[in-house]
Amino acid sequence: MGGAEFRLLGPVEIWADGSPIGPLTAQQRSVLAVLLLHLGRTVSLDRLVEAVWGQEAPPSARNAIQGYVSRVRRALATVPDAELVTSPPGYRLDLDPLRVDLYLSRHLIERARAGRQEETALLLRRALALWSGPPLAGVAGEWLRETFGGPLEEERLAAVEERIAADLRLGLRREPLAELPVLIGEHPLRERLSYLMMAALHQEGRRTAALEVFRDTRRRLVDALGIEPGSELRELHQRILREEADVEPPAALVVGEAPVPAELPAGVASFVGRAEEVAQVSAALAGDGPDAVRICQISGIGGVGKSSLAIHVAHALAGRYPDGQLYVNLHGASPQVAPVEPIEALGRFLRSLGVAGSTVPMDLEEAAGRFRSLTDGKRMLVILDNARDAAQVRPLLPGSPACAVLITSRRMLTSFDGAVQLSLDMLPDGDALDLLSGMVGEELIAAEPAASAEVVRLCGGLPLALCLAAARLRARPSWKVSELAGRLASAHRRLDELRADDRELRASFQTGYQGLKSDPDGAAAARMFRLLGLLDVPDIGLPTAAALAALPEERTQHLLDLLVDARLVQDRARDRYSLHDLLRLFARERAQEEESEQGRQLAVERTLHYYLATARTAVGMLKPASAWRNEVGPSSLTHPGLALETNEDLRAWIDAEEDSLLAVVGQTRGTPAAELGVALAAAFAVPLFYVGRWRGQMALSEAALRAVADSAEPLHEALIHGDLGWAHVCVGNQAVGIAHLRRSLAIYRRLGNTRRAAALLDHLGIAYRGAGRFDEAADHHRQAIALMDDRYREGAGLNHLGLVYQRAGRFSEAIEAGARSVALLEETSTAVDVLSALVNLAEAYRLAGDPEEAIAHHHEVLARYRAAGHGGDYVEAECLWGLGHALNDIGERGEARRLWRRSAVILHGLGLATAEERRSLESDDVPVTPQVIQRQR
């Protein structure tokens, strides 16, 4: 079978010894056709799926393609020097191109153009004889014919025109005069055919008929396209009018003037906001480049509105590019559609610029060079939408500095020198609501503003999600916005609800997820993505992610970088990563499908162990006397946690992880990890309290209280009620705090836990003091001190009793209790406890009329506090406030106001003073003591 032929210019077949030998089915013919059209190049599995089914591929498509490839391989087994090889991410067919009718036809046409005039017509007839019908006949679906059929038919027509021109140059007019009327009837706007018909008629001496052809052609062009005939057809018309004898067609292919390309898709009617981004992109494209093409790239996650922004700006700037606007969707991240190969995109561009299909180079470098030549010196705007990567884009760049290129891609393409990068974020809530309103009507939104705001929140400001939500409302006229909000509220149903017609959010995310497989580490990155979806945290640090995946940090960072590049994960700060809420739901779906239940549970458990180990380290640093909290939960942890060596390390960890720890404790409710959630809350309450994050401590305890119901451990219930009550007391909710504290005390007493009962009595004393019930407060403190079995707790109780005496106006007793407290704590406690007691003692001296002693104590506190590496927290704010009052008492009002202002800044930063309260504190000559400090005294 050495003479085997491969046919594309008609039915797709392999012929040998005068008869076809395969393929047998339309699907197999589609596979063979794509491989032949990309001869010697790898064709991805996704492209083969698209060739067979278009955008409606079944779930089993990839497996089916492998079967079709196997059958094509079987048909090729008897064909020598033809090899179908596996070439990741797909397959490659290797054979001599001249055994394929398409490439043989092109070879003969090139020989005809380069050869002697007397050989031209013969070679062109041989090339055209290879056509046996419409190209790509017998393939499955429409995608192949829609994508390649038109350009191939253009090649055939161009060859027919060249063959007719060659006949006319040889004086052979009979056959052309018979063919041309039929061809013109089939292609009435094709100027080349009219040119040839006019030339043939004039050679025959039929001048009037030739002029009539011109008039008919002009009328058709004006009526259909609104344009005049091209310059060459007009010139021929003038030569015939002048009765010039020599009007034979030139040897080179004649083409009418190509219209200026204006290929921008319609603008998005619902486009809203993005004023800053529009200005940035416009500025990047509007100026003149000094010596290189201007490039702007818009990147961002799927559905964020990159294409809408690009098309909106392109329409606004179109007038600045009078030589045209070229557009191509490169399908780099289109669901169920394979990316466009650069050679295909260049073919489209070259045809748009007037190059006949038969003359479009098949070699990538040659085609790219032709494109640069045709755009040289022209002011053109090129939109490369939905690009896959830099390799797909690079051949499509014009070389002229008068041109501009606007690229959209999920990935940030950083290898283009001088390109302006714009990373597109979610829409702000106001713009998102405007987008929704513009699509469903203002009346519907105005009728339910709260539900509308909830839909915006649940869509996370993602434009595609909002568009799909609006489409759902339009498709259900009987729905109110609250109906949709209720459906979206279910995390399990949300992605199912965000779909309309052939568009769905899940498919957009799936494309990016599947795209990971092109990287050697794609499988590992996909696993990391799935595991990240298991956590409800707002963001995650590198060490936490490493614990989650049970990987070294260096390896974890590499995988996270891959996810950031793929726009599946966002890097908000150095070594901090986050998922959009909707992407988190998608990642969790993938984890439920691809990870075992045990694997999912172990990943969450590893994360909790990491957090718990770190929180226990913080307890040891801040308050060794609270080490009993570290006995809650497992004694042995699978991860040592983060190494916290200094107070700066501790503060940075709290700042970074507070919200994440609150979230992860909350998600343990109703899971096997509930006990770990309670243990984490017990330990993390200590650092939260010591930096004055009492509202955070309250939220933590409320989340833990919900998890307590699943632990069936009364000690846990007592602990969390005590922490929650204490947090309420700290923020001034004395009545609520007392109720929780009394419930905790009752449980401890029932369990016979005297030490914890004493601590609860002490806390109740503080709560009663805050409520102004001083006698009850002193009584509870005295009860607590009587039960305390160590000097540290006695020192803490005396400190609190001294504060009651301060509030009751018993200043000498306050000084006595405070001094005894400081002495005991100096022996037994950490610096923070001692310094807090010293601040209280200093205030007792000031109230007793001894501001000098108060000042000395405050200066000692600040010196020791800063030497220990502390600062910027509640203790410093309270000390500065007290020192300011003591200085004000001795007449140093300027310094006092400076200290009050510093204290107000710290309190506001901690969320313990409102902006209005801060302004008042900073402006009043002698400001009222902040509420938060009043509550602590």
Side-chain angles (χ1 to χ4, degrees), residues 270 272-274 277 300-306 424-436 439 452-469 488 494 498 505 509 570 572 579-583:
S270 57
V272 299
R274 305 291 197 195
E277 292 87 348
I301 74 169
V304 79
K306 302 180 293 294
L424 201 58
D425 208 342
M426 306 307 129
L427 282 173
D429 288 347
D431 289 343
L433 193 60
D434 288 345
L435 176 61
L436 187 64
M439 290 185 288
S452 301
E454 181 66 1
V455 169
V456 167
R457 186 188 70 82
L458 292 170
C459 289
L462 189 67
L464 176 57
L466 290 162
C467 290
L468 294 172
L488 294 177
R494 197 173 307 161
L498 293 172
L505 194 62
F509 293 162
Q570 296 167 288
R572 294 294 189 186
L579 273 72
H580 188 277
D581 288 345
L582 294 171
L583 269 171

Side-chain angles (χ1 to χ4, degrees), residues 20 26 47 56 105 283 419 732 773 912:
R47 172 53 60 88
E56 299 179 355
S105 172
R773 296 157 65 176
L912 300 177

